[in-house]
Amino acid sequence: MKRLQLYDTTLRDGSQAEDVSFTLDDKLRITERLDDFGIHYVEGGWPGSNPRDEEYFRAVKRSRPKHAKIAAFGSTRRAGVKAHEDRNLQALVHAETPVITIVGKTWDLHVRDDLRISLKANLEVIHDSIHYLRKHADEVIFDAEHFFDGFAATPDYALECVRAASDAGATLLCLCDTRGGSLPTQVAAGVDAARAAVPTPLGVHCHNDCELAVANSIAAVEHGCVHVQGTINGVGERCGNANLVSIIPVLQLKRGIHCVSAAQLERLAEVSRFVYELANLEPNKRQAFVGQSAFAHKGGLHVAAVQKNPETYEHIDPALVGNAQRVLVSDLSGRSNLLYKAAEYGVDLESNKPAVQALLQELKDLEARGFAFEGAEASFELLMQKVVHGDRVRHFKLIGFRVIDEKRKEDEPPIAEATIMLEAPDGQIEHTAAQGNGPVNALDGALRKALVKFYPEIQEVRLHDYKVRVLGGGEGTGAVVRVLIESGDEHERWGTVGVSPNVIEASWQALVDSMDYKLYKDRRGARRRRTDAATRG
Ligand SMILES: [Zn+2]
């Protein structure tokens, strides 16, 4: 199996994405995760650019990654300044990393119009910078900025630039598609030419402006690059960087190129979610390999087929990348979807024909009223429990709630307040109130405040998403609405649904399902773990 170097730049190029910013603590946690995951190089930041990045390099040295090498990033010296006097290069050396990556111009258009120096002077800039840094770091990677555009415009000059870097002692030359406008055939031709021109190992760094960053990276590796740069989930400047979360499984599972161990690959989905979480971005449901929908089947025919043999509609075994097959329940579902779901939740429906009938009937009735269980699987699991056991899972009884939304003056923000009274399983009555940013938020606050007395784990539940959809539409503001809530704790995310002509009632149903599901699954999990321990003796 061929081996490949993975170079992650989530913390540098990735943090240049719109809406993404990492704190120092985030950066250290991501570094640790990438190290565990088997990434070979972690580019931590640009020490010359801001104090937080300088602090990062001090802190990361103390935390000592197990395998990953930390790289500091910067650019070649300014024209007319000696390399050892250049402040940027000095900052790179002071970061004391084993690897330094510097970016330099290889497209004559940039040299003339941006740097405004002679083509020869730029070759000296590249050479001097690398020659100087080479004395201070084990490895110096040269990022050949705009290499593919430069190669398309003036191939000889682009190659002269990489030759200058190679002669100066760069340990790796990384060819960049910085504008993200190249096509796989152009990338392949550029890599071929660079290979013929220099003996130094080559890498590739692509951007996604034509949605081709992954394809271009794969083409570059097929043509001899031994090093791939990218970011987790493809976050990055403009349309993003090449997505390592796709590149890794493609190379490893489809091309037999070793990137990480099989056990590490199984944590791909988890690493992806972790970075979304810290970047405060909503995960992309439809993301290849790791998205929630990547192995989700909805059509009855598909479901019937994957149950016989998953290969019929799945290009890989989802477990290899830490994902799982899902079957969606909807009005398209037949018996096979229900049986699959039941098995997934450990409910025995196979031997309970009346329950299957009852569940199909209940599902039909609910859907006719506007319920939809795609994206509300937690509500569906509770429904299934109700049908099988004759009663729904219940952790408390509502005695009543009241929501007040008050606006006193036109230019003053409204105040929302909810009070709630409920009865706990031991008969205790709890009466609480909470203010909120709107009536549903206040209701959520009051419900949690009441429940947390009996169930402290409710504190772990976070509300990720709240969606309201008006159904039908004939009756304007009097129409039936469907509320979908997505909640989560540190292990799992789950969706719940509520339907009513009253948006607060619909929200209440979805909120109650969410809390009930959390309490139910924690107890179910504990039960399962106990059984496992008992079996192991
Ligand atoms: Zn870049």
Side-chain angles (χ1 to χ4, degrees):
M1 214 185 204
K2 269 169 66 184
R3 279 184 175 263
L4 188 85
Q5 293 175 356
L6 300 170
Y7 184 108
D8 180 276
T9 179
T10 306
L11 301 180
R12 201 272 306 169
D13 228 353
S15 70
Q16 286 172 227
E18 183 171 6
D19 302 331
V20 172
S21 121
F22 296 117
T23 64
L24 174 62
D25 186 52
D26 292 340
K27 293 184 84 163
L28 292 168
R29 287 176 68 192
I30 291 174
T31 304
E32 196 187 333
R33 222 17 117 89
L34 295 175
D35 183 31
D36 283 342
F37 177 56
I39 297 290
H40 308 102
Y41 295 86
V42 175
E43 188 173 271
W46 189 324
S49 74
N50 66 70
R52 186 187 49 200
D53 281 7
E54 280 171 38
E55 182 52 44
Y56 166 85
F57 287 107
R58 272 195 293 275
V60 80
K61 219 163 32 182
R62 289 193 295 270
S63 72
R64 290 168 190 272
K66 291 190 284 284
H67 313 285
K69 294 176 186 169
I70 303 297
F73 178 89
S75 65
T76 46
R77 71 161 168 82
R78 279 168 301 146
V81 178
K82 290 202 172 70
H84 67 273
E85 286 168 358
D86 185 272
R87 276 184 39 212
N88 240 315
L89 295 190
Q90 282 173 352
L92 283 171
V93 171
H94 285 149
E96 293 183 357
T97 52
V99 184
I100 293 176
T101 300
I102 53 160
V103 60
K105 304 286 187 196
T106 61
W107 183 5
D108 57 352
L109 173 118
H110 266 262
V111 177
R112 271 194 291 264
D113 295 356
D114 184 11
L115 293 184
R116 301 193 172 177
I117 58 175
S118 73
L119 296 182
K120 184 164 167 288
N122 179 53
L123 295 176
E124 287 163 10
V125 162
I126 294 172
H127 186 280
D128 289 0
S129 306
I130 294 172
H131 185 73
Y132 166 72
L133 292 175
R134 204 52 194 90
K135 292 181 226 157
H136 299 278
D138 304 340
E139 295 177 39
V140 174
I141 294 172
F142 178 63
D143 272 4
E145 194 186 27
H146 298 290
F147 173 80
F148 296 104
D149 288 326
F151 181 74
T154 321
D156 290 347
Y157 186 68
L159 292 172
E160 254 184 90
C161 293
V162 294
R163 223 176 270 123
S166 172
D167 290 346
T171 49
L172 185 126
L173 306 175
C174 188
L175 310 176
C176 304
D177 186 28
T178 315
R179 293 195 305 179
S182 302
L183 306 183
T185 44
Q186 295 172 297
V187 168
V191 173
D192 287 344
R195 271 186 88 190
V198 290
T200 312
L202 300 178
V204 71
H205 174 117
C206 296
H207 278 264
N208 205 28
D209 301 69
C210 293
E211 190 95 16
L212 287 169
V214 170
N216 285 340
S217 305
I218 306 292
V221 171
E222 287 174 333
H223 282 256
C225 285
V226 295
H227 165 119
V228 174
Q229 300 195 352
T231 62
I232 300 299
N233 301 325
V235 292
E237 194 93 53
R238 305 186 309 278
C239 309
N241 282 62
N243 185 359
L244 287 177
V245 174
S246 298
I247 291 173
I248 294 169
V250 168
L251 289 177
Q252 186 142 330
L253 300 176
K254 314 229 172 213
R255 276 281 179 250
I257 295 171
H258 182 93
C259 298
V260 295
S261 74
Q264 285 165 330
L265 190 61
E266 284 172 13
R267 290 166 64 191
L268 187 71
E270 188 190 307
V271 171
S272 162
R273 274 198 304 272
F274 181 76
V275 171
Y276 275 126
E277 197 68 33
L278 292 200
N280 205 10
L281 294 175
E282 204 46 49
N284 173 6
K285 229 178 158 169
R286 280 169 253 280
Q287 187 167 335
F289 296 99
V290 298
Q292 221 189 346
S293 307
F295 300 95
H297 307 283
K298 181 165 160 184
L301 283 176
H302 288 216
V303 174
V306 291
Q307 279 179 290
K308 291 176 200 138
N309 179 358
E311 270 183 59
T312 49
Y313 288 95
E314 290 174 1
H315 70 112
I316 59 158
D317 173 1
L320 296 173
V321 292
N323 208 340
Q325 183 181 81
R326 282 171 66 226
V327 165
L328 307 175
V329 194
S330 77
D331 48 359
L332 300 178
S333 12
R335 221 177 142 262
S336 48
N337 291 48
L338 284 188
L339 290 179
Y340 180 99
K341 270 293 181 226
E344 189 182 330
Y345 295 128
V347 178
D348 178 23
L349 277 188
E350 204 79 56
S351 61
N352 191 344
K353 284 226 175 82
V356 177
Q357 271 316 317
L359 193 55
L360 275 174
Q361 192 51 52
E362 176 103 29
L363 200 58
K364 249 170 106 184
D365 294 347
L366 286 170
E367 287 189 339
R369 281 167 50 199
F371 280 84
F373 291 94
E374 283 169 55
E377 291 174 325
S379 287
F380 183 72
E381 183 166 357
L382 295 175
L383 175 70
M384 202 154 49
Q385 292 294 342
K386 182 183 134 191
V387 170
V388 171
H389 300 294
D391 200 6
R392 72 161 281 157
V393 184
R394 234 170 237 295
H395 299 93
F396 62 92
K397 205 171 112 196
L398 175 73
I399 298 171
F401 70 68
R402 177 186 294 141
V403 179
I404 304 164
D405 206 19
E406 189 182 15
K407 192 170 174 76
R408 290 183 192 139
K409 268 193 198 156
E410 198 161 352
D411 55 354
E412 249 178 38
I415 304 163
E417 190 187 280
T419 54
I420 194 165
M421 204 191 285
L422 50 83
E423 187 185 325
D426 59 2
Q428 259 197 79
I429 306 284
E430 190 58 40
H431 190 181
T432 55
Q435 286 199 338
N437 182 10
V440 175
N441 185 238
L443 190 58
D444 178 37
L447 177 61
R448 281 161 193 267
K449 224 162 141 185
L451 285 178
V452 91
K453 300 248 165 70
F454 316 105
Y455 306 108
E457 62 267 43
I458 287 296
Q459 276 173 36
E460 296 158 16
V461 180
R462 282 173 55 194
L463 220 70
H464 290 286
D465 200 9
Y466 171 84
K467 280 197 203 89
V468 182
R469 173 124 181 231
V470 178
L471 305 174
E475 293 146 77
T477 51
V480 170
V481 297
R482 176 164 69 221
V483 167
L484 270 176
I485 287 181
E486 198 187 337
S487 318
D489 57 18
E490 61 173 309
H491 307 292
E492 200 186 318
R493 281 189 177 214
W494 60 90
T496 53
V497 61
V499 173
S500 167
N502 180 320
V503 66
I504 295 189
E505 167 61 19
S507 307
W508 165 256
Q509 292 168 6
L511 275 175
V512 169
D513 268 12
S514 171
M515 300 302 157
D516 266 340
Y517 179 77
K518 161 73 176 166
L519 297 169
Y520 159 74
K521 87 168 173 94
D522 281 4
R523 278 152 191 76
R524 175 198 65 190
R527 227 178 11 251
R528 270 190 199 155
R529 276 195 295 279
R530 269 202 294 281
T531 324
D532 288 351
T535 335
R536 279 200 301 274

